[in-house]
Amino acid sequence: MSTLPGAWRRLLNRFWFVPAVCLAAAVLLAQGAVAVDRALPDDLSSPWVAWVYAVGIDGSRAMLSAIGGSMLGVAATAFSITISVIATASSTYGPRLVRNFMADRGNQTVLGVLVATFVYALLVLRTIRSASDDLAEPFVPHLAVNLAVVLAVADVALVVWFIHHIADSVQVDTLVHGARRRLLDVVERWHPERLPEDRARTGGHRGGGGEVSAGAVGYVLDVDLVRICSVLEEAGARAELLPRVGDHRLHDEPLFRVWPEERAEDLAGPLRRAVRIGDARSADQDVRFAEQQVVELAVRALSPGTNDPYTAINAVEEVAAGIVTAVSRPLPGNTVVADGVPRLRHATVELEEIVDMPFDQIRPHVGGHAEVVLALIDLAARIEAATVHEHLRARVREHVGTLLEQFAAGGPSDRDLARVRARAGLRRLGDAAVPPPE
C-alpha cells in the first residue's frame, strides 16, 4: 500500500482531473495542427488535398464558430444531466453513492472531450487571417479546421453514448454491481489467500509506549504500511496503529503508540503523514464502508417510502460475494514484520463484524417480506458452506435463529412462515431455533 497508488487513485477520482487532461491535450493538438499547416506548401495539386482545402477564410471561421459554440452548449447540457442524475441517486440510493458518480470515468471523459473541442476550435479560430487583417498575410489552417470537423462528428457519437451511459448508470443493478466490485477489491486487499511473508498475526495490545495524537479531525482513509515501517526501521522503533481504516478520530485522540516511548515525539510528524485523515469515508481501503454501501441499498429499498424488496434481495445476493471471499481465507495479518522484527501492529476488521453487518442492519427492516428473509437464509447458508472458521458457522446459525424468531413474531401468513421454516431446514441452519412445521 504505497503512497503513490493511493495518491494516484485520489487524483483520478477528482471530477476535474480528466477534463483538465483533455483541455491540455486540446491546447497541444491545436498548436501542433496549426504548426503542421504552416509547414505545408501552399501549392498542393492533389484532388484529395484540394477537397480538404476547399473551405475558405470565411467558411473556416463560420465552421469553427459553429463547432465551438455548439460543443460548449452540449457540454453544459451534459453537465446539467450529470448533476440531475447525482441528485436523483443521492435521494434514492443514498448520498454516499454520489462520489461513485463523480468518479465515473465515462462522465469525466464526455465532459472533458466536449469542453476540449470548444477550446480547440477557439484556439484554431484565432489563427485565421484574411487579406483585410493588418497583423499578417492571409492564413487558413485547413488541416486544423478539418480536424475540428472530425472532432465534432466524434462528439456527436460521444453524446449518444453518454445518454445511454447515464441512463444505465442509475439502474439499480448497475449500482449494486459497482458496490459489489468495490467490496471485492478491498476484501482482496486485506484478506489475501495467503499471508504475505512480511505479515503475521499477533494477539494482544502492548502496554505503555508513547502516544502520537491524530493531529486532525476526521476519518482514517488510507494507511501506508510500507512508509510507516520504513520510518520505524530508520528510527529503530516499533509502533501500534490504534484506529482501523474507517474509524473517526478527534485532534487529540491517539493515533499511534510508539516504543521506545521517548521516540514518539520525534516520529510524530512522519507517522502522521503516512496516515490520511479526511472528512468522508472511502471504500479504497475501508472494508466496512465498502460492505455498508451494498447493505445500505438493501436497507433503503426496504424503507416504507421505497418498499422495493427485490432490490433488497439483489443487494443481499451481491454482498455474499465479498463475505464468502473473506470467510474462506485465513485471518488477516495484523503485524508487519521487517527483517524478522515485528515493527508495526495495526487493528483489522474481524470476520465476525463482516458477517454480522448484513444480518444486523437488514433484519430490523425486513418486516413481512418473506422473500428477503429467504435471501438472508441463503446468505447464511453460503457463509456456512464457504467458511474455514468453525466459530462463524455457529454465528450464522444464531443469526438465522434470531431472524426466524423476529419474522414469526411479526404475524406472517401460515404459508410464508412454512416456506421460511422449510428453507431454513433445507439449508440446515438454525435448527435449534426452528420448530418443525405444523
Side-chain angles (χ1 to χ4, degrees):
M1 298 177 190
S2 61
T3 303
L4 182 59
W8 183 246
R9 281 196 309 273
R10 293 193 295 273
L11 181 62
L12 289 178
N13 287 339
R14 299 291 184 184
F15 190 73
W16 51 262
F17 176 75
V18 172
V21 172
C22 292
L23 288 178
V27 173
L28 295 177
L29 182 61
Q31 298 301 321
V34 171
V36 171
D37 268 306
R38 293 186 186 279
L40 290 175
D42 295 333
D43 185 18
L44 296 175
S45 57
S46 170
W48 289 103
V49 175
W51 179 80
V52 170
Y53 277 40
V55 182
I57 294 176
D58 293 337
S60 297
R61 283 176 170 169
M63 187 178 300
L64 291 174
S65 299
I67 291 174
S70 61
M71 288 306 111
L72 187 61
V74 172
T77 302
F79 186 79
S80 300
I81 294 174
T82 302
I83 295 299
S84 175
V85 168
I86 289 174
T88 302
S90 176
S91 61
T92 305
Y93 304 115
R96 279 159 291 278
L97 288 173
V98 170
R99 279 171 291 169
N100 302 332
F101 283 95
M102 299 297 288
D104 185 273
R105 200 69 66 239
N107 297 340
Q108 296 174 358
T109 302
V110 170
L111 294 177
V113 171
L114 292 176
V115 175
T117 302
F118 164 76
V119 172
Y120 174 85
L122 195 66
L123 292 176
V124 174
L125 179 62
R126 65 187 291 270
T127 65
I128 298 178
R129 299 286 182 266
S130 64
S132 60
D133 295 332
D134 298 330
L135 298 177
E137 61 184 25
F139 173 72
V140 178
H142 296 282
L143 179 63
V145 170
N146 283 276
L147 185 56
V149 175
V150 173
L151 288 176
V153 173
D155 287 349
V156 172
L158 197 63
V159 168
V160 173
W161 175 86
F162 175 72
I163 294 173
H164 164 77
H165 174 73
I166 207 71
D168 181 67
S169 64
V170 294
Q171 299 296 319
V172 67
D173 291 340
T174 304
L175 293 172
V176 176
H177 293 165
R180 180 202 60 191
R181 287 193 299 270
R182 288 186 292 274
L183 174 59
L184 282 173
D185 288 344
V186 72
V187 166
E188 289 287 348
R189 180 189 297 270
W190 288 109
H191 296 265
E193 292 186 23
R194 295 183 180 179
L195 284 182
E197 294 181 358
D198 62 343
R199 297 289 192 276
R201 186 166 183 88
T202 59
H205 295 270
R206 294 180 59 184
E211 284 190 358
V212 174
S213 62
V217 178
Y219 297 94
V220 177
L221 302 182
D222 292 325
V223 177
D224 190 346
L225 300 179
V226 174
R227 183 176 178 183
I228 294 172
C229 287
S230 177
V231 170
L232 295 174
E233 272 192 285
E234 291 179 4
R238 304 184 185 189
E240 180 177 4
L241 176 64
L242 299 176
R244 299 175 296 179
V245 176
D247 285 350
H248 189 271
R249 272 295 180 263
L250 299 179
H251 190 278
D252 294 326
E253 289 184 334
L255 187 65
F256 287 94
R257 289 189 185 277
V258 178
W259 296 270
E261 183 175 349
E262 58 270 15
R263 301 306 308 272
E265 185 175 352
D266 296 336
L267 297 178
L271 291 178
R272 286 188 187 123
R273 286 191 290 272
V275 178
R276 187 166 71 97
I277 295 179
D279 296 330
R281 294 172 71 178
S282 167
D284 287 342
Q285 291 191 15
D286 191 347
V287 177
R288 293 174 296 167
F289 184 68
E291 185 181 11
Q292 180 184 322
Q293 286 191 317
V294 189
V295 172
E296 183 180 358
L297 285 168
V299 172
R300 282 183 169 269
L302 293 174
S303 65
T306 305
N307 193 25
D308 182 8
Y310 298 104
T311 295
I313 294 170
N314 192 7
V316 172
E317 292 170 344
E318 294 289 2
V319 79
I323 299 176
V324 166
T325 300
V327 301
S328 64
R329 297 178 176 181
L331 295 175
N334 61 0
T335 303
V336 183
V337 180
D339 296 329
V341 178
R343 289 290 178 188
L344 173 67
R345 188 181 189 278
H346 57 89
T348 60
V349 177
E350 300 302 327
L351 294 176
E352 293 84 356
E353 191 170 355
I354 295 175
V355 170
D356 290 347
M357 183 182 292
F359 296 99
D360 290 343
Q361 295 190 13
I362 297 175
R363 185 179 60 245
H365 306 277
V366 166
H369 295 297
E371 298 298 333
V372 181
V373 176
L374 294 174
L376 287 171
I377 292 174
D378 290 341
L379 172 63
R382 287 174 163 180
I383 296 172
E384 184 180 25
T387 185
V388 295
H389 309 282
E390 186 60 36
H391 69 285
L392 293 180
R393 292 189 175 92
R395 199 173 191 90
V396 294
R397 291 176 188 138
E398 181 181 347
H399 278 301
V400 169
T402 304
L403 179 65
L404 292 175
E405 289 177 2
Q406 175 183 304
F407 182 70
S413 66
D414 293 340
R415 178 179 173 80
D416 285 343
L417 186 58
R419 289 170 58 212
V420 168
R421 286 174 171 172
R423 179 69 63 87
L426 179 64
R427 291 295 198 176
R428 299 178 181 178
L429 288 164
D431 295 333
V434 186
E438 298 178 358

